[in-house]
Amino acid sequence: MHSHTRLVPLLSLATFTSACLREFDKFDARDVHEQSNPLLARQTQWPPILTEKETTIVNSFDANSIDDWANYYGHQLKIAGKGRDAAVWTRDRWRESGFNAELNEYHVYLSYPLHQSLSVTYSNGSTSEVNIKEPALPEDDVTNRPDSVPTFHGYSASGNASAEYIYAGRGTGADFARLKALGVDLKGKIALIRYGSIFRGLKVKNAQEAGCVGAIIFTDPADDGNVTVANGVPAYPDGPARHPDSVQKGSVLFLSTYPGDPTTPGYPSTKDAPRSDISSVTPKIPSLPISYAAAEPLLRALDGHGLTAEQVNRTAWKGALGAEYRTGPAPNVTLSLENLMEGKITPIWNVIGYINGTNPDETLVVGNHRDTWMIGGTGDPNSGSAVLAELAKAFGKLSESGWKPRRNIVLASWDAEEYGLVGSTEWVEEHVNWLTETAVAYLNADVAVSGPRPYVDATPELHTVASEVLRKVVYPNFGGFNISLYEAFQKSTGAKYGVLGSGSDFTSFLHRGVGSLDVGAGGGPGDPIWHYHSNYDTYNWMSKFGDPGFEVHSAVGQFLSLLALRLADDEVLPFDLPNYAAELRKYHEDLRKLISSTEGATLNTDELAAAIDVFERRANEVKALETLARSRNDTELIKVVNHKYRDFQRGFVSQGGLPDREFYRHVVTAPGLDTGYAAITFPGISEGVQYGNLGIAKDWVSKTAKGILRAADIIKT
Ligand SMILES: *[C@@H]1O[C@H](CO)[C@@H](O)[C@H](O)[C@H]1NC(C)=O
Ligand SMILES: *[C@@H]1O[C@H](CO)[C@@H](O)[C@H](O)[C@H]1NC(C)=O
Ligand SMILES: *[C@@H]1O[C@H](CO)[C@@H](O)[C@H](O)[C@H]1NC(C)=O
Ligand SMILES: *[C@@H]1O[C@H](CO)[C@@H](O)[C@H](O)[C@H]1NC(C)=O
Ligand SMILES: *[C@@H]1O[C@H](CO)[C@@H](O)[C@H](O)[C@H]1NC(C)=O
Ligand SMILES: *[C@@H]1O[C@H](CO)[C@@H](O)[C@H](O)[C@H]1NC(C)=O
Ligand SMILES: *[C@@H]1O[C@H](CO)[C@@H](O)[C@H](O)[C@H]1NC(C)=O
Ligand SMILES: *[C@@H]1O[C@H](CO)[C@@H](O)[C@H](O)[C@H]1NC(C)=O
């Protein structure tokens, strides 16, 4: 699924603003912290100096072969549970590269579309069908196949709804609260909601909780900046603007409650696993996604009815379509929505490949999901799958020379990520003890490429090594020059690492205390519009607009591979714990700001501050121990340091989990309850403050401090 911030312009550094957002953003709340200790002076040489192993990896990368892999994946039906062929193909490529590789099957609950339709009846009594299909494009073969996947929402409720409708902006909790406060009658209505800002499942959840009987979620071209048909830019396939009929499919699981198979919370979905009730994490009201072309007349029919956008006075309320964006309802203007779904427990197939390390008690996992909502999916996630196939090939080249990694390397191609991180969550649940004992990190590439601007989200101990590796990769042909990937990262993000929220497969690792990193390159203002979760996210689009030549794929893949090499092979794990301490301080400052800007909130956070002090001291001490171990070349001591580095984040995991969502256990970061994608730091405390529950917030100051002290204790020398 993956959603990422619309990045800032590559050539001029601007701050994140709502003007440069697309519907797949996790923007307002994106928590970006400048790295305190941005760069060690190492590796400023240009062109970068590579070790022999690094050279083998970099030279193995070939944009033509990535193009071939992208072409393969771009023509397979891979919707969760129906993509066994692509799983077998992936396993075979990894085997050719010297990995042991097997399919790994789970039996999970999924739902598929059987019949969907939408019609509108105007007050004059005339009824017309609303187009919910994405037309086949003669220029793009995969949009034209009999097995094309129709538009629908995964895990949506099967059922019909027929009612007057209201417009609810982005459909956030705050949007609905505002409508309620203004007296808009929501009961029994269908909510027409704009994509963006929060995970779509939470939009449906909010509509349901407001008393609505159905939800229609549309894409608004306002999120495409200036690259629009209205601005005279030709639409795909003729040009870079969004095709007016493109529809964003996707899951409506209540992701911020828990991911994974909703029938097996907390345990793996083996064939005979007991199944539990799913009503707390899936919607009770039906929903459908539609295009902007389909939404425009529906919005226009509300003109003159209900409150104006100015009266509602919410940010990003008004979009760019030819309508007033009033709330409605318009008397006797109704929508009829039919959504017939087939839910079933069905096999899915992860592919797991591995090379055993010489040191069996340390493991690196590198993963990417393989399933898609359509035949194509060349951005999401085939770009990541193609990169992973090339990574396997590069490690195969190293192995041919007799090399064995110090640590175990596990490659994972996840299934059913799109429905709710299902394949990765079930695997983590099955292997949680082994991961707790041995995992050093999880590296993720989901949408490796949907545009030219690199970004990296990561837990703070990985920032420094990530910066070192970014400097070793050439980002080719940028304005006629070859620059480093680090420079491109700096231009697109200001060299700021994002905080991990959710929306991709790192989630289950992170919340079991495994440090994680997620990398990709996305679009920003002026770049071609990527058709997120649409049948038009295709190989043809990628080859013509997204990444002609597949050079950005190659750069992201080299980064991921070189980083994997460092983490799997460095004698001492290249972790920067003092940076983790510095980041904790920033999150604490943010928390203080949140408290002081929240009306009526007072909260003493001294216990937290004191715990961070202890952690910082211990982080410096373990760093000193590392220096000593290196200088003495003391392998036993190096092992001690490595194990402290490997284990410290397990301390951040809270038994019992966050309030009302026990899956999410990390006391430092979690997806926001009402964002689903975007991270919130010190979630137990921050959400207590945000939702006016200071008792919970106070409780979580202690719980968070205890988690940080547990981590500090693990690294005690
Ligand atoms: C009814 O109203 C709709 C929307 O204004 C309009 O498009 C349609 O032509 C009208 N039909 C008749 C029969 O007047
Ligand atoms: C939904 O409407 C269709 C068409 O009117 C009907 O055949 C079907 O039985 C309805 N489904 C439910 C669950 O009411
Ligand atoms: C769109 O174009 C206008 C006028 O050229 C410019 O001021 C604005 O910054 C552009 N917006 C974006 C998001 O690029
Ligand atoms: C709109 O809301 C902002 C704050 O959210 C407030 O400052 C402003 O006065 C409001 N405008 C109107 C017209 O109510
Ligand atoms: C709505 O339709 C009903 C009959 O279906 C009618 O009685 C009522 O007057 C109509 N209301 C408006 C505002 O047109
Ligand atoms: C890799 O290590 C595991 C666990 O130690 C062992 O069960 C497995 O047989 C090994 N595989 C190979 C191919 O060496
Ligand atoms: C950039 O690097 C590529 C090889 O990756 C090389 O072919 C090309 O000539 C370089 N371009 C410049 C401007 O140095
Ligand atoms: C450190 O020790 C290991 C084995 O004990 C040895 O292989 C290696 O060459 C030593 N390195 C240095 C820099 O002395």
Side-chain angles (χ1 to χ4, degrees):
M1 74 182 75
H2 210 287
S3 124
H4 208 277
T5 314
R6 185 112 162 95
L7 297 151
V8 297
L10 264 185
L11 290 165
S12 71
L13 258 184
T15 48
F16 290 88
T17 64
S18 55
C20 56
L21 299 169
R22 283 191 191 160
E23 87 296 328
F24 53 92
D25 298 345
K26 56 178 184 184
F27 53 99
D28 333 272
R30 187 181 188 232
D31 209 337
V32 180
H33 290 261
E34 199 130 17
Q35 197 188 358
S36 54
N37 175 8
L39 266 207
L40 310 182
R42 284 158 68 178
Q43 276 314 325
T44 47
Q45 297 93 338
W46 189 257
I49 296 170
L50 303 179
T51 65
E52 202 177 315
K53 285 178 214 163
E54 287 172 338
T55 304
T56 302
I57 285 191
V58 165
N59 289 348
S60 166
F61 263 78
D62 175 2
N64 291 323
S65 115
I66 296 178
D67 184 337
D68 289 344
W69 311 144
N71 195 348
Y72 168 78
Y73 284 116
H75 291 83
Q76 301 301 310
L77 179 67
K78 301 174 298 305
I79 189 166
K82 299 189 178 180
R84 196 170 185 281
D85 288 354
V88 168
W89 188 90
T90 302
R91 179 197 67 192
D92 293 347
R93 294 293 79 66
W94 292 358
R95 284 182 177 172
E96 283 166 14
S97 301
F99 281 79
N100 300 292
E102 298 295 342
L103 299 199
N104 156 239
E105 184 175 284
Y106 294 106
H107 294 256
V108 306
Y109 177 75
L110 298 175
S111 71
Y112 298 105
L114 290 180
H115 174 75
Q116 281 61 39
S117 75
L118 183 65
S119 63
V120 57
T121 301
Y122 296 105
S123 52
N124 59 16
S126 85
T127 294
S128 47
E129 281 302 307
V130 176
N131 175 40
I132 57 167
K133 294 193 167 63
E134 298 188 281
L137 308 175
E139 298 84 346
D140 194 339
D141 56 348
V142 295
T143 63
N144 201 8
R145 285 192 9 185
D147 54 350
S148 282
V149 182
T151 58
F152 77 110
H153 279 150
Y155 291 137
S156 63
S158 205
N160 299 341
S162 191
E164 288 178 350
Y165 60 98
I166 51 100
Y167 172 60
R170 301 263 196 203
T172 63
D175 286 332
F176 278 104
R178 178 77 181 146
L179 291 179
K180 220 169 178 175
L182 292 169
V184 176
D185 184 14
L186 304 168
K187 277 243 155 7
K189 302 289 187 288
I190 290 173
L192 181 61
I193 302 173
R194 182 179 165 187
Y195 264 120
S197 173
I198 64 170
F199 181 66
R200 73 185 77 66
L202 301 182
K203 295 169 189 273
V204 178
K205 180 172 191 266
N206 292 333
Q208 175 178 311
E209 285 170 0
C212 295
V213 294
I216 303 294
I217 311 183
F218 70 97
T219 302
D220 197 296
D223 295 333
D224 296 340
N226 289 337
V227 187
T228 60
V229 172
N231 257 357
V233 181
Y236 183 73
D238 303 319
R242 179 185 302 283
H243 192 292
D245 293 317
S246 81
V247 177
Q248 179 192 139
K249 287 176 262 198
S251 172
V252 290
L253 185 74
F254 299 166
L255 183 67
S256 58
T257 307
Y258 64 82
D261 178 351
T263 67
T264 62
Y267 55 94
S269 293
T270 52
K271 197 161 199 274
D272 304 317
R275 305 283 161 172
S276 44
D277 175 58
I278 63 173
S279 58
S280 67
V281 281
T282 54
K284 294 184 182 65
I285 63 172
S287 66
L288 278 180
I290 60 171
S291 68
Y292 81 72
E296 190 162 39
L298 305 185
L299 285 164
R300 201 179 290 142
L302 301 181
D303 284 358
H305 301 283
L307 303 172
T308 64
E310 291 69 28
Q311 287 168 317
V312 176
N313 191 22
R314 295 273 306 151
T315 50
W317 188 266
K318 203 163 174 173
L321 292 169
E324 296 168 10
Y325 289 84
R326 288 174 69 130
T327 59
N332 287 2
V333 181
T334 59
L335 286 174
S336 277
L337 150 65
E338 282 177 30
N339 186 47
L340 186 59
M341 301 290 294
E342 180 194 26
K344 59 176 174 189
I345 290 177
T346 191
I348 59 165
W349 305 278
N350 295 329
V351 184
I352 302 294
Y354 67 93
I355 303 180
N356 281 351
T358 53
N359 180 356
D361 55 7
E362 291 169 4
T363 302
L364 171 70
V365 186
V366 184
N368 145 265
H369 75 92
R370 192 187 61 252
D371 63 306
T372 52
W373 293 114
M374 69 298 284
I375 308 289
T378 301
D380 184 1
N382 306 353
S383 55
S385 308
V387 155
L388 215 58
E390 196 67 5
L391 175 149
K393 199 182 99 194
F395 277 92
K397 286 263 159 52
L398 270 187
S399 301
E400 277 169 20
S401 68
W403 171 82
K404 271 192 163 38
R406 199 179 288 274
R407 305 187 175 88
N408 307 316
I409 301 177
V410 174
L411 292 187
S413 168
W414 310 117
D415 201 352
E417 185 266 4
E418 291 291 358
Y419 276 81
L421 322 178
V422 176
S424 60
T425 300
E426 298 313 313
W427 189 78
V428 169
E429 285 170 351
E430 182 169 6
H431 298 284
V432 65
N433 292 336
W434 179 66
L435 289 169
T436 302
E437 282 161 22
T438 74
V440 298
Y442 172 68
L443 305 180
N444 191 59
D446 181 335
V447 186
V449 182
S450 61
R453 302 156 202 260
Y455 61 83
V456 182
D457 296 350
T459 44
E461 81 285 1
L462 295 172
H463 294 180
T464 302
V465 65
S467 293
E468 288 169 8
V469 174
L470 285 167
R471 288 176 174 255
K472 294 214 171 190
V473 175
V474 177
Y475 187 95
N477 302 319
F478 178 84
F481 296 96
N482 290 334
I483 61 172
S484 76
L485 189 57
Y486 185 82
E487 272 178 275
F489 171 63
Q490 198 165 33
K491 286 176 199 297
S492 66
T493 68
K496 290 173 185 161
Y497 289 90
V499 179
L500 292 164
S502 185
S504 195
D505 293 303
F506 54 81
T507 308
S508 292
F509 291 89
L510 184 61
H511 285 273
R512 298 292 190 158
V514 179
S516 303
L517 176 144
D518 182 53
V519 61
D527 293 332
I529 301 300
W530 174 50
H531 295 71
Y532 171 60
H533 283 188
S534 145
N535 284 352
Y536 307 145
D537 177 11
T538 61
Y539 175 76
N540 184 64
W541 179 85
M542 189 62 84
S543 315
K544 293 204 169 113
F545 296 103
D547 186 17
F550 290 83
E551 295 286 357
V552 180
H553 281 69
S554 187
V556 170
Q558 288 174 357
F559 167 76
L560 196 66
S561 306
L562 293 179
L563 183 63
L565 178 67
R566 292 285 309 269
L567 293 171
D569 216 36
D570 276 12
E571 188 174 20
V572 182
L573 279 169
F575 286 4
D576 185 349
L577 272 61
N579 185 59
Y580 210 117
E583 294 287 310
L584 288 175
R585 283 206 186 291
K586 284 184 202 153
Y587 307 158
H588 184 236
E589 281 163 32
D590 291 347
L591 176 64
R592 298 299 321 159
K593 281 185 208 142
L594 174 71
I595 294 166
S596 62
S597 67
T598 303
E599 223 177 282
T602 54
L603 186 68
N604 184 330
T605 62
D606 290 352
E607 190 182 348
L608 179 63
I612 296 172
D613 287 345
V614 174
F615 182 84
E616 183 178 48
R617 212 158 50 236
R618 301 271 183 261
N620 290 330
E621 284 162 10
V622 74
K623 187 79 202 165
L625 189 68
E626 178 195 325
T627 307
L628 181 73
R630 281 180 189 278
S631 71
R632 289 192 189 155
N633 193 23
D634 179 338
T635 42
E636 275 312 303
L637 199 53
I638 284 173
K639 189 170 165 184
V640 169
V641 170
N642 276 333
H643 286 184
K644 290 186 184 305
Y645 284 176
R646 178 193 65 190
D647 296 339
F648 80 99
Q649 296 194 68
R650 317 289 194 254
F652 295 135
V653 169
S654 146
Q655 297 307 313
L658 293 171
D660 300 323
R661 41 182 187 148
E662 65 192 73
F663 173 88
Y664 291 100
R665 301 173 176 205
H666 205 293
V667 300
V668 178
T669 174
L673 203 52
D674 190 36
T675 64
Y677 293 134
I680 182 159
T681 47
F682 297 143
I685 313 172
S686 301
E687 290 192 332
V689 171
Q690 270 173 5
Y691 297 119
N693 197 331
L694 290 175
I696 285 185
K698 187 157 172 275
D699 216 28
W700 275 85
V701 169
S702 270
K703 285 189 171 152
T704 307
K706 287 202 178 81
I708 292 170
L709 289 177
R710 274 196 305 273
D713 206 43
I714 293 168
I715 52 175
K716 193 164 176 226
T717 56

